[in-house]
């Protein structure tokens, strides 16, 4: 019942007609007791975002540049309802984050190209309830490359190699496997 509120009274009018004539009509007493909204919860489909042109947005790191906001309404009866796409729900980028992100659609927040913010604040409201959601924004901080011996041998795990030598009594050189690690501004690798 969209927009329904608590009410008690003669809310239904019924008429019985036959051959175009009213045979009987009356009003019915209705007690409309809907649960009241108690709390609004919002969540992001992505734990963090990045700027679209940042290297961390590209594979293999692939940090998302947009996120879908999910909204859950809790009622005093204990019931919950998904309000993510409900017409009564308003999701907006908070004014202090307007230079960093935009609303790509009714419930999708996208980071603006060139932004440098550390987080995006999103406000959500519905049925006189409101909440605020903060989504971290990360960037590529640095990369490092390690080379480990190949094939592995006992004790070689975690052994970084920077110089490859000739294997004793052969014409062959050691081999190494290189691995590059990206480190984001939140410290995650």
């Amino acid at each position: 019942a969209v927009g329904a509120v608590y009410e008690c009274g003669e809310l239904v009018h019924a008429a019985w007609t036959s051959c175009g004539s009213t045979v009987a009509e009356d009003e019915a007493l209705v007690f409309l007791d809907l649960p009241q909204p108690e709390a609004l919860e919002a969540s992001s489909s992505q734990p963090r975002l990045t700027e679209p042109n940042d290297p961390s947005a590209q594979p293999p790191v692939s940090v998302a540049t947009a996120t879908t906001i999910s909204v859950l309404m809790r009622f005093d009866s204990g019931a919950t309802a998904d309000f993510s796409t409900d017409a009564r729900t308003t999701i907006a980028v908070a004014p202090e984050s307007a230079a960093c992100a935009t609303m790509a659609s009714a419930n999708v927040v996208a980071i603006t190209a060139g932004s440098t913010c550390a987080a995006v604040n999103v406000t959500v409201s519905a049925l006189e309830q409101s909440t605020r959601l903060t989504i971290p924004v990360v960037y590529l901080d640095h990369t490092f490359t390690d080379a480990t011996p190949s094939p592995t041998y006992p004790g070689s795990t975690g052994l970084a190699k920077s110089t490859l030598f000739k294997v004793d009594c052969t014409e062959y050189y050691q081999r190494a496997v290189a691995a590059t690690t990206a480190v984001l501004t939140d410290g995650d690798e």
Side-chain angles (χ1 to χ4, degrees):
V2 175
V5 293
Y6 168 89
E7 192 166 344
C8 182
E10 294 180 349
L11 304 175
V12 176
H13 179 83
W16 175 20
T17 59
S18 178
C19 299
S21 298
T22 301
V23 176
E25 66 180 297
D26 203 356
E27 292 186 354
L29 185 63
V30 175
F31 178 58
L32 186 61
D33 186 17
L34 297 175
Q36 296 300 305
E38 192 171 69
L40 193 62
E41 297 174 9
S43 61
S44 169
S45 64
Q46 301 296 326
R48 62 188 174 192
L49 298 172
T50 193
E51 187 267 331
N53 297 322
D54 191 79
S56 65
Q58 305 304 314
V61 180
S62 302
V63 176
T65 61
T67 186
T68 300
I69 306 300
S70 296
V71 182
L72 186 70
M73 180 67 76
R74 294 198 177 280
F75 295 91
D76 62 1
S77 65
T80 59
D82 183 357
F83 266 59
S84 302
T85 57
D86 189 288
R88 298 166 289 178
T89 300
T90 302
I91 302 171
V93 173
E96 67 274 12
S97 297
C100 297
T102 60
M103 295 302 301
S105 66
N107 65 332
V108 175
V109 175
I111 300 298
T112 306
S115 70
T116 58
C117 57
V120 170
N121 295 312
V122 178
T123 59
V124 181
S125 61
L127 301 181
E128 298 180 7
Q129 300 293 318
S130 63
T131 190
R132 188 176 183 88
L133 180 64
T134 300
I135 306 162
V137 180
V138 297
Y139 305 90
L140 179 65
D141 187 39
H142 65 278
T143 62
F144 63 89
T145 302
D146 281 329
T148 56
S150 176
T152 59
Y153 54 87
S156 70
T157 305
L159 178 64
K161 289 293 245 177
S162 59
T163 305
L164 299 177
F165 298 100
K166 197 171 194 181
V167 177
D168 287 341
C169 300
T170 72
E171 60 187 67
Y172 302 104
Y173 282 84
Q174 295 172 313
R175 292 186 312 178
V177 175
T180 300
T181 303
V183 181
L184 303 177
T185 53
D186 65 356
D188 199 13
E189 295 181 355

